[in-house]
C-alpha cells in the first residue's frame, strides 16, 4: 500500500535533487565567469555541469514517480512545464558544452550558443526552484 510517507520521501528526493543540481550548476557557471584565471576552472565547470544535470534528471524521475504513485495528473500546472523545460535546456547545454570540442570548424558558434543556453538554464532552474517551493510553502 502507498502511504503518505512514501510520497513525502519522493517529494524530499525531488526537492533535494533539484536544489543540489541548481546550486551545482550555479557554482560551475560561476567558475566559468569569475575563475577563468585559475587553472582548475574548466575541470570544475565541466564536473559541476555534469553533476548538476544528473541531479536534475534524477529529480525529474522522482517527481514523475511521485505524481504517478499519487495517481495525480502529469504536466498540469506551470511548475511542471517550467521544470520540464529546465531539464531539457540543461541537457542541451551539457551536450553543446561537449560538442564544441568535437566539431572543430563550428566551435566558436557552438561555444557562443552554449554560453547563452547556460545562462538560460540557470534562469529556468531558478524559476523552477522558486515555483516548486511556492507549491509546498
Ligand atoms: C548544464 C551544464 C552547464 C552549464 C549550465 C554551463 C554554463 C555555462 C555558462 C553560463 C558559460 C558562460 C560563462 C560566461 O559568461 O563567461 C559557460 C562557458 C563554458 N562552458 Fe559551460 N556549462 C555547462 C556544461 C559544460 C560542459 C559539460 C562543458 C565541456 C565539456 C562546458 C564548457 C564550457 C566552455 C569551454 C565555456 C567557455 C566558453 C567561452 O570561451 O566563453 N560547459 N558554460
Ligand atoms: C530545478 C528545479 C526543479 C525542476 C526542474 C522541477 C521539475 C518538476 C517536474 C517536471 C514536475 C512534474 C512531473 C510530472 O508532471 O510528472 C514537478 C512536480 C513537482 N515539483 Fe518540482 N522541480 C523543481 C524544483 C522543485 C522544488 C524546489 C520543489 C519544492 C519542494 C518542487 C516541488 C514539486 C511538487 C510538489 C511537484 C508535484 C506537484 C503536483 O502534485 O502536481 N519542485 N517538478
Amino acid at each position: 500500500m502507498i502511504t503518505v510517507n512514501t510520497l513525502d520521501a519522493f517529494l524530499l528526493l525531488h526537492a533535494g535533487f533539484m536544489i543540489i543540481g541548481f546550486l551545482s550548476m550555479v557554482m560551475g557557471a560561476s567558475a566559468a565567469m569569475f575563475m577563468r584565471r585559475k587553472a582548475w576552472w574548466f575541470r570544475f565547470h565541466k564536473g559541476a555541469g555534469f553533476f548538476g544535470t544528473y541531479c536534475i534528471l534524477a529529480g525529474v524521475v522522482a517527481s514523475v514517480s511521485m505524481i504517478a504513485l499519487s495517481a495525480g495528473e502529469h504536466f498540469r500546472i506551470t511548475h511542471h512545464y517550467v521544470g520540464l523545460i529546465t531539464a531539457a535546456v540543461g541537457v542541451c547545454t551539457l551536450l553543446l558544452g561537449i560538442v564544441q570540442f568535437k566539431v572543430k570548424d563550428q566551435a566558436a558558434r557552438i561555444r557562443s550558443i552554449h554560453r547563452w543556453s547556460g545562462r538560460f538554464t540557470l534562469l529556468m532552474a531558478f524559476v523552477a526552484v522558486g515555483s516548486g517551493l511556492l507549491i509546498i510553502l
Side-chain angles (χ1 to χ4, degrees):
M1 197 178 100
I2 302 301
T3 63
V4 172
N5 283 339
T6 312
L7 291 177
D8 284 350
F10 273 101
L11 175 59
L12 211 63
L13 272 178
H14 173 65
F17 273 129
M18 293 314 195
I19 290 171
I20 291 171
F22 170 61
L23 293 178
S24 175
M25 282 185 180
V26 168
M27 289 197 296
S30 303
M33 288 176 188
F34 310 118
M35 299 289 170
R36 290 282 274 273
R37 293 213 184 122
K38 309 275 182 198
W40 48 263
W41 84 267
F42 182 64
R43 212 152 29 104
F44 184 83
H45 177 74
K46 201 168 147 180
F50 267 96
F51 180 73
T53 310
Y54 289 150
C55 283
I56 288 194
L57 291 178
V60 168
V61 173
S63 67
V64 173
S65 311
M66 170 174 73
I67 293 181
L69 288 173
S70 67
E73 198 184 323
H74 298 283
F75 305 110
R76 180 176 43 88
I77 53 175
T78 308
H79 173 73
H80 297 174
Y81 290 101
V82 172
L84 198 68
I85 294 169
T86 304
V89 291
V91 171
C92 289
T93 299
L94 185 78
L95 293 177
L96 287 164
I98 298 165
V99 166
Q100 68 185 304
F101 296 103
K102 310 274 177 207
V103 187
K104 298 266 196 278
D105 57 337
Q106 294 292 326
R109 188 195 287 202
I110 299 172
R111 184 160 300 163
S112 158
I113 303 173
H114 170 77
R115 270 203 296 270
W116 283 105
S117 78
R119 290 168 195 158
F120 184 61
T121 304
L122 295 183
L123 176 70
M124 289 304 292
F126 178 75
V127 176
V129 169
S131 60
L133 288 173
L134 284 178
I135 299 175
I136 59 158
L137 296 177

